[in-house]
Amino acid sequence: MKKFFIVISLVLISLFTFNTNVSAATDKVAYVTTSIGEDGQRQMLVNYHAYEEGTVVEYTVLSDTSYANKVTVTPTSYSWSYKSPSYSAFRDGLVCKATLDDLTPDTEYRYRIRTASGATSNEYFFKTAPERGTFTFAFLTDSQAGATQYNIFNTLVGKAKELRPDTAFVFHTGDVTDRGGQPEQWNGFYNQATNLSLMPIASTPGNHEYYLTDEAVNISAEVYNQFFNNPQNGPESTLNSSYYFTYGNALFVMLDTVKTSNVNDLKDWFVDVVSNNMRRVIIVGMHIGPFTGGGSYGSSGRSVFNTWAPIFDKFNVDLVLSGHEHNFAPSKAIYQGEVAEKGYGTNYIVGPASGTKTGGFNRDFIFSNNKPLSEFFLNDEVGTLNLNFSRAGILIRVGANDTKLEVFNAEKILYDYSIPTRRPKSFFEIEKDNFMKKIKVEHDEEEGTAKIVWGEDAYGNVKTVKITNGPAVTETFISTPLFVERSIGKVYDGNVYRIQVEVTFTDDTVEEKELVLNLSGEDIEDPEKPEKPKPQPAGCQMGSGVASIIGLVTGLAGVVFVLKRKR
Ligand SMILES: [Fe+2]
Ligand SMILES: [Fe+2]
């Protein structure tokens, strides 16, 4: 019965919002798209094209059907036109971008566009993010089709809402259209994907948005950028197509990996974003992703993995969603190039196409550390006929204890699995002095190695632990409670190791401490005047900074000496 009412509701919404030409503004306004602002609890973004001056956005809460308490926002706008050498020209018009700010969290809204002459557009809907708690989104990718087949994508958006009525937004990892430079493709998408008026879409361009001519050559995201008003918080080189937003307890980062010339900028930006916007769950989207089904895209997937996986490991990213391959390839959790131990690692998913294309698999493709994909696939079914889905999407419910994934098509849920939420709901605030006191160096005499260890209470209180051991500097981002130590590698008898530890707390205050590992066999009577350092093997050389570090030792309160002599 519940399902029946949901279906009826969808039909009624469709009748009143799309198929009934209730407004006189439809020929003055086109391509209306809702995106999620940087803070999904309080900000939404609108993009549309207008063919006259003076349009505004009017929004109000869902229950205010008469717009009695509406807020009016005047968008920024600029003239835009484009003509690809291969295709007809886009209609000259104004690209309008509006920011809806100061919204109430966990609240449903409606909005419309009003023209200067008073005509109004169809209505559009969104729900702001909860402060915390469960939410659901629909991961759809590669909706690309001829100009008339975006109904497949549209059906999936409607089905997502029917299967999970709390579906809050679409997360689309590119190849929205098949040729970014062809107006008929965008017209086809917007004319048919009418269910997108029910929720925002967070998207990034695929290579097919970069194809502005009839050749398969990446040119630019110029046309894509006229249809989507994403958060303007990405790196300059891919502003609008790389960005981040928070939604409930999750951080979403979208990476434009089609443009490869700026990968180092993108990596630096990613580190900065995650360092400063930590959430319980981190979800990354990219078109050409770091996992693969091993078919004809296997090498590019492996290449992206080699570039990005070390960074995802550093932050213990929960989920990486990508497209491009037109197959469904979910991975086990992977950490440092291997199947991860419990609690570590990232689950990767290549999503099935929500359009007409299908891709292939090769379970024997060598993916990481000389091991075939079959070892990294979620299970033995991946890449077989049983799990070879297309024309499908994935409903993703981010809950308190796990993230549930349900692959669905136009008829039903085809397959589901869960991954555990790796970070705790809450943490205790710590005394910084106590935390600093607990940091120590531990020497494993049998292995001939040493490591710096700190308290399990670092997560939530500490941002980074930076360790300087001579010329070797490492930085550990406390992205999970599991990160409680860092190896400094091999250590050798006869040496004195003086290790600087710099802790940056989440309030950006910094505390420092010096640790000494004395393997010289002799007491250090005067730390200010140590013996001349003895020769050390490569990788453990005490640098020229030793003297200055030693100078600091006596000036620091609470210096801890952990001495384990081999006799
Ligand atoms: Fe594609
Ligand atoms: Fe693609």
Side-chain angles (χ1 to χ4, degrees):
M1 186 60 86
K2 186 179 168 190
K3 188 175 172 183
F4 173 77
F5 280 117
I6 291 164
V7 172
I8 291 296
S9 302
L10 280 169
V11 169
L12 288 175
I13 288 172
S14 298
L15 280 174
F16 283 106
T17 55
F18 313 123
N19 299 335
T20 308
N21 192 2
V22 293
S23 75
T26 45
D27 61 334
K28 305 296 182 190
V29 174
Y31 312 128
V32 182
T33 313
T34 318
S35 298
I36 301 166
E38 181 175 304
D39 176 357
Q41 292 175 2
R42 294 175 183 81
Q43 190 184 66
M44 290 285 155
L45 306 169
V46 177
N47 197 100
Y48 61 94
H49 293 198
Y51 303 104
E52 64 174 41
E53 299 273 358
T55 58
V56 294
V57 177
E58 296 178 340
Y59 72 90
T60 187
V61 293
L62 183 67
S63 58
D64 182 17
T65 53
S66 65
Y67 285 75
N69 299 309
K70 72 186 179 202
V71 177
T72 302
V73 177
T74 303
T76 60
S77 65
Y78 55 88
S79 298
W80 181 75
S81 60
Y82 178 77
K83 165 82 177 71
S84 162
S86 307
Y87 306 115
S88 59
F90 285 85
R91 184 179 172 188
D92 290 1
L94 295 166
V95 176
C96 302
K97 293 179 185 286
T99 301
L100 316 189
D101 264 328
D102 300 323
L103 303 170
T104 306
D106 206 15
T107 301
E108 291 179 274
Y109 286 87
R110 60 175 69 228
Y111 77 90
R112 64 192 180 189
I113 316 298
R114 179 181 289 277
T115 66
S117 57
T120 53
S121 72
N122 292 328
E123 287 187 292
Y124 300 84
F125 302 87
F126 61 83
K127 186 179 180 189
T128 50
E131 297 274 3
R132 56 186 64 204
T134 301
F135 67 91
T136 302
F137 67 99
F139 167 37
L140 298 168
T141 189
D142 296 82
S143 48
Q144 64 202 119
T148 60
Q149 290 178 298
Y150 293 99
N151 58 317
I152 299 166
F153 171 80
N154 192 52
T155 300
L156 290 170
V157 177
K159 190 69 181 179
K161 198 77 177 165
E162 180 197 316
L163 289 166
R164 300 290 172 227
D166 66 335
T167 302
F169 58 92
V170 169
F171 192 81
H172 194 307
T173 53
D175 286 356
V176 177
T177 62
D178 204 56
R179 277 293 182 278
Q182 189 175 19
E184 290 78 9
Q185 297 256 333
W186 292 99
N187 292 340
F189 180 76
Y190 278 95
N191 287 339
Q192 293 172 61
T194 49
N195 282 332
L196 270 186
S197 56
L198 299 172
M199 63 185 87
I201 176 171
S203 68
T204 191
N207 50 310
H208 282 260
E209 274 68 63
Y210 272 74
Y211 294 169
L212 298 183
T213 67
D214 54 4
E215 291 180 52
V217 175
N218 294 338
I219 298 176
S220 83
E222 149 81 15
V223 173
Y224 167 89
N225 288 334
Q226 313 313 320
F227 290 98
F228 296 93
N229 181 16
N230 297 323
Q232 302 296 296
N233 52 23
E236 195 59 41
S237 51
T238 50
L239 196 64
N240 197 59
S241 52
S242 298
Y243 58 92
Y244 74 91
F245 65 92
T246 56
Y247 202 92
N249 264 329
L251 168 67
F252 288 84
V253 188
M254 198 68 100
L255 301 173
D256 178 353
T257 49
V258 177
K259 186 168 184 172
T260 52
S261 58
N262 69 324
V263 67
N264 288 330
D265 288 351
L266 199 56
K267 285 199 263 190
D268 291 346
W269 171 81
F270 181 86
V271 167
D272 194 49
V273 165
V274 185
S275 300
N276 292 300
N277 296 280
M278 199 60 194
R279 291 293 188 281
R280 281 192 78 201
V281 176
I282 304 171
I283 298 175
V284 173
M286 47 217 294
H287 180 62
I288 302 170
F291 199 61
T292 174
S296 50
Y297 299 109
S299 321
S300 57
R302 185 173 54 199
S303 165
V304 175
F305 182 83
N306 290 337
T307 301
W308 282 98
I311 297 174
F312 297 154
D313 289 346
K314 178 176 178 176
F315 293 102
N316 220 48
V317 166
D318 294 75
L319 202 52
V320 176
L321 308 174
S322 61
H324 191 54
E325 296 205 4
H326 320 128
N327 53 24
F328 172 52
S331 81
K332 295 186 176 88
I334 300 174
Y335 183 65
Q336 295 185 339
E338 300 281 358
V339 173
E341 293 172 26
K342 199 174 178 188
Y344 285 93
T346 300
N347 285 82
Y348 297 88
I349 303 175
V350 182
S354 59
T356 57
K357 293 196 172 180
T358 54
F361 289 91
N362 177 4
R363 294 178 56 84
D364 298 326
F365 179 82
I366 298 300
F367 180 65
S368 173
N369 287 345
N370 254 346
K371 293 176 180 167
L373 269 175
S374 54
E375 294 196 19
F376 299 94
F377 280 155
L378 184 69
N379 54 40
D380 290 342
E381 287 181 278
V382 179
T384 67
L385 282 177
N386 291 339
L387 271 188
N388 199 354
F389 303 126
S390 61
R391 300 182 181 224
I394 306 178
L395 281 156
I396 300 180
R397 189 204 64 199
V398 181
N401 300 315
D402 65 5
T403 295
K404 185 166 188 184
L405 302 107
E406 298 173 315
V407 187
F408 70 103
N409 67 6
E411 277 83 48
K412 60 182 180 180
I413 291 170
L414 303 163
Y415 183 78
D416 69 276
Y417 68 106
S418 298
I419 57 175
T421 302
R422 299 181 173 107
R423 297 179 186 85
K425 271 186 202 166
S426 56
F427 55 88
F428 294 104
E429 284 195 26
I430 55 172
E431 292 287 329
K432 291 175 187 170
D433 285 352
N434 285 342
F435 181 80
M436 294 304 292
K437 280 179 194 165
K438 284 191 286 186
I439 302 173
K440 58 186 179 179
V441 56
E442 287 184 356
H443 178 211
D444 185 327
E445 293 182 28
E446 277 188 16
E447 294 290 327
T449 59
K451 63 186 179 184
I452 309 299
V453 299
W454 54 85
E456 291 177 357
D457 46 9
Y459 176 75
N461 292 289
V462 173
K463 196 183 279 185
T464 58
V465 177
K466 183 176 172 186
I467 296 166
T468 304
N469 178 27
V473 181
T474 62
E475 191 170 50
T476 302
F477 186 84
I478 310 300
S479 58
T480 160
L482 297 170
F483 290 165
V484 294
E485 63 182 43
R486 182 87 183 219
S487 172
I488 58 169
K490 288 281 183 189
V491 288
Y492 298 91
D493 288 345
N495 292 329
V496 177
Y497 296 91
R498 298 178 186 277
I499 302 140
Q500 187 90 358
V501 181
E502 183 183 294
V503 176
T504 302
F505 292 90
T506 47
D507 63 4
D508 284 327
T509 58
V510 177
E511 301 269 341
E512 293 180 347
K513 177 174 187 173
E514 190 140 5
L515 303 171
V516 178
L517 176 61
N518 183 359
L519 303 181
S520 68
E522 299 168 17
D523 290 333
I524 305 172
E525 293 182 359
D526 183 356
E528 283 186 319
K529 293 180 183 174
E531 294 174 349
K532 192 178 175 184
K534 295 174 183 175
Q536 297 169 56
C540 265
Q541 296 289 334
M542 301 293 280
S544 59
V546 168
S548 61
I549 292 171
I550 291 162
L552 277 172
V553 171
T554 51
L556 288 172
V559 173
V560 175
F561 290 81
V562 178
L563 307 177
K564 287 191 178 179
R565 291 183 197 155
K566 206 169 186 178
R567 295 187 188 279

